[in-house]
Amino acid sequence: MIPIKNEHELACMRQACKITAAARALAGDMVRPGVSTKEIDKAVHDFIVSQGAKPSFLNYGGFPASACISVNETVIHGIPGGYVLKEGDIVSVDVGAYYKGFHGDCAATFPCGVISAEARKLIDVTKQSFYEGLRFATKGYRVSDISHAIQMHVESNGYSVVRSFVGHGVGAQLHEEPEVPNFGSPGRGPRLLPGMTLAIEPMVCVGDYEVRVLQDRWTTVTADGKLSAHYENTVLITDGEPEILTVTEGC
């Protein structure tokens, strides 16, 4: 069953999402050569806690950090540690904050210093694919209408969308119904209704869409070792235009 949020629940979600989006922006500002992924994670943790919230990811299913920080060929669920960012890296940061019983969830891929033209295009296409999907995050459309729009934009630019991991509903639980794939035929899946909140999150690869999970059981990389990017926002379905709950300037 897909939860429909009432106005009180949405007020809590908006605040959770505001904190989440600010944490993502903070992390993005820290992406520069010489900074370790562990330093970024600590800053995200400390900020979320300072806002009276809890990091959604910390200890979720055993995940050992407050942010997923995924560099270059790492698609998602990168565990922050001693890796020091270097010029030319691309860095995906996925964060969540839990506030008054509700979660926010968002991600973005940031350039570290000067990056290649290919990496820049990948980041731009990934972000734009979210907005292509967002056009269909409207009352009366179906979940797969979002999925199809994302896939078409990504593939028209010569890239592929990850299929082993998908977007999802978000609210009182970090992962709720429905699943929101980034691929598929239109006109399928649940019909969208006002009050639904979705984490729409394209994960895009330069090469093939196949991925593999490393021995730590979290870090997920492209099987061919090519670059990947990630972009995500928590979105509210309304009676009119969709509302991005995790919006911040520059992200």
Side-chain angles (χ1 to χ4, degrees):
M1 181 175 177
I2 301 173
I4 302 294
K5 280 73 175 181
N6 61 36
E7 284 306 315
H8 171 73
E9 292 168 331
L10 287 173
C12 296
M13 276 204 74
R14 285 190 175 93
Q15 186 59 30
C17 287
K18 181 179 178 180
I19 295 167
T20 304
R24 174 180 60 183
L26 170 66
D29 288 343
M30 292 183 69
V31 172
R32 57 184 181 274
V35 176
S36 73
T37 56
K38 186 175 183 179
E39 289 176 277
I40 297 173
D41 179 67
K42 183 179 186 305
V44 166
H45 174 276
D46 291 350
F47 173 77
I48 290 173
V49 171
S50 77
Q51 301 301 301
K54 295 180 180 179
S56 298
F57 300 169
L58 185 60
N59 299 319
Y60 181 80
F63 189 75
S66 298
C68 299
I69 303 180
S70 306
V71 182
N72 296 332
E73 75 279 3
T74 302
V75 182
I76 50 172
H77 301 161
I79 298 174
Y83 180 80
V84 177
L85 301 179
K86 63 182 187 298
E87 190 89 11
D89 284 340
I90 61 171
V91 185
S92 298
V93 181
D94 192 354
V95 296
Y98 183 66
Y99 180 81
K100 291 189 176 180
F102 290 88
H103 295 273
D105 191 4
C106 66
T109 302
F110 301 96
C112 184
V114 178
I115 62 173
S116 69
E118 177 76 287
R120 180 75 264 172
K121 180 185 175 186
L122 174 66
I123 291 173
D124 291 344
V125 168
T126 302
K127 184 173 182 177
Q128 184 58 37
S129 72
F130 164 85
Y131 285 98
E132 295 299 318
L134 186 69
R135 294 168 49 220
F136 296 91
T138 303
K139 176 183 175 181
Y141 282 106
R142 294 188 181 273
V143 167
S144 74
D145 296 325
I146 299 171
S147 310
H148 183 71
I150 290 170
Q151 181 183 13
M152 291 299 97
H153 183 74
V154 169
E155 293 182 353
S156 71
N157 281 277
Y159 299 141
S160 63
V161 289
V162 170
R163 302 189 177 205
S164 302
F165 296 88
V166 298
H168 52 91
V170 59
Q173 303 298 319
L174 184 57
H175 292 91
E176 299 180 343
E177 293 295 324
E179 290 192 342
V180 185
N182 297 305
F183 64 95
S185 301
R188 299 180 180 180
R191 198 172 293 280
L192 301 175
L193 297 172
M196 291 180 177
T197 46
L198 309 177
I200 301 172
E201 52 177 319
M203 293 156 270
V204 179
C205 305
V206 166
D208 189 75
Y209 60 74
E210 294 292 346
V211 300
R212 61 188 180 91
V213 180
L214 302 187
Q215 288 185 343
D216 62 23
R217 297 185 299 174
W218 286 106
T219 307
T220 302
V221 301
T222 56
D224 58 14
K226 295 183 179 180
L227 292 178
S228 180
H230 185 194
Y231 188 75
E232 173 186 22
N233 280 305
T234 299
V235 174
L236 168 65
I237 308 302
T238 74
D239 281 314
E241 293 298 311
E243 180 183 347
I244 303 176
L245 300 180
T246 47
V247 67
T248 51
E249 186 176 350
C251 290

